[in-house]
Amino acid sequence: MDAENDKQRTTVTIYGQQYTIKGDESPEHVTSVAEHLDQKMKEFKQYNPYLDTTRLAVLTALNVVDEYMKLQEKIDQYEKKERNEKDGERG
């Protein structure tokens, strides 16, 4: 059996639309991600009630990627600090 057939399929609902997601992650993880995205879209729709679904999806994606990049930057800073502290202990 090839790796493509080993992928799991999970059906989720995001902003009223059903999607079948095929991947390596557990169904629980995929569902959790979809629920988070669905909640974010509903949240942004409250503040921007006249946005069509495409614009809402792009706005949500921009905000989620912004959050991700800020968290990644914090992780990078933390890891750099940890390396510097370990280097300081050696020196």
Side-chain angles (χ1 to χ4, degrees):
M1 200 162 27
D2 65 33
E4 190 67 21
N5 290 332
D6 291 340
K7 296 189 182 291
Q8 296 190 51
R9 292 177 184 268
T10 306
T11 301
V12 296
T13 302
I14 302 169
Y15 206 68
Q17 296 290 315
Q18 277 199 336
Y19 299 89
T20 300
I21 310 298
K22 187 173 169 183
D24 296 325
E25 299 295 338
S26 71
E28 294 81 11
H29 177 77
V30 173
T31 300
S32 178
V33 170
E35 287 173 352
H36 184 76
L37 177 57
D38 183 62
Q39 184 59 41
K40 286 287 189 183
M41 288 182 73
K42 289 175 181 174
E43 179 183 319
F44 288 122
K45 183 67 172 184
Q46 286 180 337
Y47 298 111
N48 303 282
Y50 301 107
L51 285 177
D52 62 52
T53 304
T54 301
R55 290 182 187 272
L56 178 62
V58 170
L59 175 65
T60 304
L62 283 170
N63 279 274
V64 170
V65 170
D66 177 59
E67 289 175 7
Y68 167 81
M69 291 178 75
K70 286 176 180 173
L71 285 171
Q72 188 61 53
E73 188 175 307
K74 285 182 181 182
I75 291 168
D76 292 345
Q77 289 172 354
Y78 175 79
E79 288 175 345
K80 183 178 179 182
K81 180 182 172 190
E82 288 290 308
R83 282 193 302 274
N84 289 341
E85 287 177 1
K86 285 183 182 179
D87 288 345
E89 291 174 4
R90 291 184 204 151

